[in-house]
Amino acid sequence: MVSDISPKATGRLIDSLPNLPLRACSLEETVKADIVCTLTPAHQPVVLNKWLKPGTHINAVGADAEGKEELEPSILIEARVVVDDLRQAIHAGEINVPVSTGIYKKEQIFATLGEIIAGYKQGRTNNEMITVFDSTGLAIEDIAVAGLVYEKARQHGAGVSLNLVD
């Protein structure tokens, strides 16, 4: 399910991924998915708590600067929130506006992604829990993904090899 304020943008995305079973939907209908990815430049919430179903996971990616937010603050208050970097998230992530207005406190953040990956803290503990990953983007995440893509490409004989250093 895909939603965008621009029907043309929705159509372009769907057309660009012909092998995936995508369809255009309302925002409210899209948010009822098991996994919701928000990628907007919004400065006011576009995802409302009342639209979510129990067990939803949200990857909040769009709030990447001070003043941006995509999720209604009550979602954060009720959810298990994980951030990639605490300092970045407070200043430029999904939680930045609720923290700056006092609606949400940094102490309410459950964990960092590193703490979950290392096993110091457990992510989802039941199927009804709403979880939010507030991603501000870290170079280490990009490098890890690039490494996986590179290995998959090598395994499948895809891509072009370049000698950049003599």
Side-chain angles (χ1 to χ4, degrees), residues 1 3 23-33 51:
M1 294 184 280
S3 180
R23 64 183 172 89
C25 298
S26 70
L27 179 58
E28 185 174 344
E29 187 178 6
T30 302
V31 171
K32 294 205 180 304
W51 296 341

Side-chain angles (χ1 to χ4, degrees), residues 11 13 44-45 61 65-66 71 84 87 93 97 100-101 107 138 158:
L13 177 62
Q44 293 182 350
V61 180
E66 187 177 341
L71 308 179
D84 48 10
R87 194 171 348 150
V97 173
S100 68
T101 60
E107 293 79 22
L138 299 176

Side-chain angles (χ1 to χ4, degrees), residues 37-40 58-65 70 92 94 133-137:
C37 299
T38 58
L39 305 143
T40 75
I58 301 170
N59 291 312
V61 180
D64 59 357
E70 302 174 299
E94 182 59 41
F133 175 51
D134 180 3
S135 176
T136 55

Side-chain angles (χ1 to χ4, degrees), residues 19-156:
N19 296 327
L20 296 178
L22 300 176
R23 64 183 172 89
C25 298
S26 70
L27 179 58
E28 185 174 344
E29 187 178 6
T30 302
V31 171
K32 294 205 180 304
D34 293 335
I35 300 173
V36 174
C37 299
T38 58
L39 305 143
T40 75
H43 284 82
Q44 293 182 350
V46 294
V47 176
L48 303 182
N49 197 349
K50 67 183 180 183
W51 296 341
L52 298 177
K53 66 179 187 175
T56 298
H57 172 73
I58 301 170
N59 291 312
V61 180
D64 59 357
E66 187 177 341
K68 289 185 176 181
E69 66 178 327
E70 302 174 299
L71 308 179
E72 184 175 34
S74 63
I75 294 171
L76 300 171
I77 292 165
E78 296 175 20
R80 178 163 284 187
V81 177
V82 175
V83 300
D84 48 10
D85 181 85
L86 183 61
R87 194 171 348 150
Q88 269 185 198
I90 289 170
H91 296 291
E94 182 59 41
I95 64 170
N96 88 90
V97 173
V99 166
S100 68
T101 60
I103 295 171
Y104 188 80
K105 299 189 181 339
K106 68 180 182 179
E107 293 79 22
Q108 291 174 271
I109 297 166
F110 177 72
T112 64
L113 182 59
E115 290 172 317
I116 301 288
I117 291 170
Y120 297 135
K121 293 192 176 177
Q122 186 176 2
R124 180 183 300 276
T125 56
N126 67 64
N127 292 336
E128 302 294 304
M129 180 181 288
I130 292 177
T131 54
V132 173
F133 175 51
D134 180 3
S135 176
T136 55
L138 299 176
I140 190 70
E141 294 167 346
D142 297 337
I143 291 167
V145 170
L148 290 170
V149 169
Y150 174 75
E151 286 304 319
K152 289 286 184 187
R154 283 189 54 170
Q155 290 171 6
H156 291 87

